[in-house]
Amino acid sequence: LLLNSKLRIIPLGGLGQIGKNMMVLEYDGHLLIIDAGLMFPENEMLGIDIVIPDMSYVLERKDRVLGIIVTHGHEDHIGALPYLLSQLRVPVYATRLTQGLIEVKLRENHTNDVERHVIAPGDVLPLGPFRTEFFRVNHSIPDGVGLAVETDVGLIVHSGDFKLDSTPVDGLPTDFAKLADLGRRGVLLLLSDSTNAETPGYTPSERTIARIFEDIFARANGRVIVATFASNISRIQQAISIAHKYGRYAAIAGRSMSNNVRMAMDLGYLKVPDDCLLGIDDIQHLPQRQVAIVCTGSQGEPTSALVRMARGEFQPISLLPGDSVIVSSTPIPGNEELINRTLNNLFRLGADVFYDELLDVHVSGHASQEELKLMLNMVQPKFFVPVHGEYRHLVLHARLAEQVGIPRPNIFVMESGQMLELDSQSAQIVGRVSDDYVLVDGLGVGDIGEVVLEDRRLLSRNGFLVVTLVMERGTNQVLSGPEIISRGFVHVSESEELMDRAKAEVLKTVKDPGNRAYLNARIKEALSRFVYNETRRRPLILPVVMEA
Ligand SMILES: [Zn+2]
Ligand SMILES: [Zn+2]
């Protein structure tokens, strides 16, 4: 029995903002999720650790979700998995390296017992009404894939994050033949990465960085510190290889990067020359000219190794004049302030600092305009939805599609939370499921701090609720509370009945034996839903759970 003969495409994140990518395909009552990422908070969300998509649409249809397919291992594609998987028991499908990164992330967040399957480019995965084929794409991380999903309605192609690099660091270029083949078979809908739709021409190869890095390494008299994303395996590979070439030992600073490096070495995605890699404590006694350090912090993340070094708060390493620091990434919108503060601190310590505005120490992992047009030309879709980008990127990508001959009515510039319905002949945006953020304070550690109280924008509009309760350590026994304090939302004294029911809602959530690590997030979500249903308002909700 066909519940709805139309195929639904529901982006829950990543359209209209960079980050927190998550896409849902729904057909015949079945849901398939593609990616579940996080976003670093925008300036106005000061104090919030990470932002993940509003997943209510899938959480309200839990038993109809067939699985999660992950295109690659970047945070903006896997970062929300611990949260999603703590509430949804479905299998996760991804390539070997991506699974490695997912495993590290799940372990860090104490999310266990997840059914995971390794897929490879060329594999075919039938799940309910969706038959997914995987094809290789280049990106700034190895082992990325795009997807071709065959349905009764037609063939859907999802590019993942991609560029068309002819000389990728791992030697494995995007599968052009497959793309052309899909084009010949007839593609109903293409969803394609828009991150770089502003940039004319072609994105330079990841390999071009090597020359610039070599230059810096060749001239440096002190230590060389390279900061990039913990998941940017290709960049880490280049830093280590070049360090070795110039007679330096490399050390990895920072827990998440160390975990990723160890995993990528085990799986063979990172090739480290013998004895080149030392522990951070072992390099301290070496002459400075023999030392390279690879670390996180290129986005100014407050707890990262680079930021702590810049503040003089990183125990094993004190930066000195003559040390060189390469900050190898472009600022994610919203992080500029944090990055600038870090750069200033590094200069203050007398380091030679190399960053994007000064020198091309970073190349994008995303396709520029000519590559985007090539993708459109190869796949020749009937309908087109630009994905992964801020609103202007989506519009610019839509214009490129028009240039290569896709009729304007067949192009849909969508934002996260909207829903597109397709049959084999037509497509239209039919509504909105939600367009919300879920703000997570210290996902998995329950760390709250002073946080959200600085979030004046949200506060001034909707006020806030602070929920406090004391629980017995190691059980889900509530010792006292919950108490709810409200400011700027409702007067608690005038809404006793509402507050009583809100407290009951919190108790219900607490007693539900889910993953303890996400208790704060679960309370926040349950209460937020309750309050919204009752009042149509979205106050900021700040759970404070104490253990006794
Ligand atoms: Zn990516
Ligand atoms: Zn991405």
Side-chain angles (χ1 to χ4, degrees), residues 125-140:
L125 172 69
L127 280 179
F130 308 104
R131 183 179 170 280
T132 305
E133 296 166 59
F134 300 89
F135 57 89
R136 182 177 304 286
V137 291
N138 288 134
H139 188 34
S140 46

Side-chain angles (χ1 to χ4, degrees), residues 72 74 76-77 139 161 366:
H72 64 286
H74 279 156
D76 58 324
H77 298 257
H139 188 34
D161 281 356
H366 301 272

Side-chain angles (χ1 to χ4, degrees), residues 446-460:
D447 166 35
I448 299 213
E450 317 103 307
V451 287
V452 244
L453 305 175
E454 305 202 37
D455 194 338
R456 297 199 183 84
R457 188 180 54 80
L458 255 185
L459 284 179
S460 60

